[in-house]
Amino acid sequence: MNKHETVLHGEFTVNRDNEYVIAFLTSPKKIAPCLPDLIEWKQHNDTKFQAVFRVDIGGVVEYISRLRSKTVIEIKKKQANEIIYEFRGEIARAPFSGTIRLDVIPLGNNRSKIRWQASINLGKALRLLNKFIDTEKTIQRIVNKVVDSIVRCIEEQ
């Protein structure tokens, strides 16, 4: 981990079997529409898509709540029960990137546990926001919103 990297991790359980969860999490057509605050998305191929999100990192100036993020997300590895995503994007022309690792664990009785770890690198311009807001807390809030939305979609679709 470098000094500008934020690492978050967690786990959640869904009421779906392992095969369904893996198929869902490796399908841009299924996962992209479930991402919160999505404005639009476009699939590049079976493993890569681009999404535009509304991002609220507010608390400083009102217009910051109206920022957009253009992000490319790619499934870099799918092996057995492990999935790795890489993402690159920008908010107000300030770059960020990272990886997300998911381990899908069968629990039986049509249930699966997903352990995840996200490593996020903010560019210099976004790191400067630390003078005004707690960027790590903001990232955690955004990640929690993503996880909640994905859990809902997996269980409802």
Side-chain angles (χ1 to χ4, degrees):
M1 180 171 101
N2 70 49
K3 69 179 184 175
H4 301 301
E5 183 176 58
T6 299
V7 178
L8 303 168
H9 55 85
E11 64 181 46
F12 55 93
T13 301
V14 292
N15 294 316
R16 291 289 190 159
D17 66 66
N18 230 40
E19 286 181 20
Y20 179 89
V21 172
I22 291 170
F24 184 96
L25 293 172
T26 55
S27 170
K29 287 180 183 174
K30 290 188 184 253
I31 200 163
C34 291
L35 297 173
D37 302 317
L38 182 70
I39 296 169
E40 64 184 26
W41 74 281
K42 177 175 73 173
Q43 186 166 345
H44 293 287
N45 57 41
D46 289 343
T47 62
K48 187 176 187 178
F49 65 97
Q50 178 176 300
V52 177
F53 303 95
R54 194 171 294 103
V55 179
D56 179 4
I57 56 174
V60 184
V61 180
E62 183 181 328
Y63 77 86
I64 289 180
S65 295
R66 291 180 252 154
L67 291 176
R68 291 180 178 210
S69 169
K70 186 175 181 180
T71 307
V72 174
I73 302 167
E74 184 171 11
I75 301 162
K76 294 301 276 186
K77 181 179 179 185
K78 177 190 168 214
Q79 184 175 343
N81 293 341
E82 178 187 40
I83 303 163
I84 295 178
Y85 297 95
E86 285 184 0
F87 59 91
R88 297 175 300 300
E90 59 181 40
I91 299 172
R93 298 192 179 174
F96 64 89
S97 63
T99 60
I100 302 168
R101 176 190 166 139
L102 304 171
D103 293 307
V104 183
I105 303 155
L107 297 176
N109 295 327
N110 203 33
R111 292 170 41 101
S112 300
K113 179 183 288 188
I114 301 162
R115 286 195 181 121
W116 60 269
Q117 178 173 317
S119 301
I120 303 159
N121 296 296
L122 299 180
K124 188 174 185 177
L126 289 173
R127 289 193 313 268
L128 289 173
L129 283 175
N130 246 347
K131 294 179 188 245
F132 307 104
I133 63 171
D134 183 341
T135 54
E136 193 159 322
K137 187 183 264 185
T138 301
I139 292 169
Q140 181 71 58
R141 181 179 47 78
I142 292 168
V143 168
N144 288 343
K145 193 173 182 180
V146 170
V147 168
D148 291 347
S149 182
I150 289 173
V151 168
R152 254 191 329 278
C153 277
I154 289 172
E155 291 187 338
E156 291 174 359
Q157 288 188 13

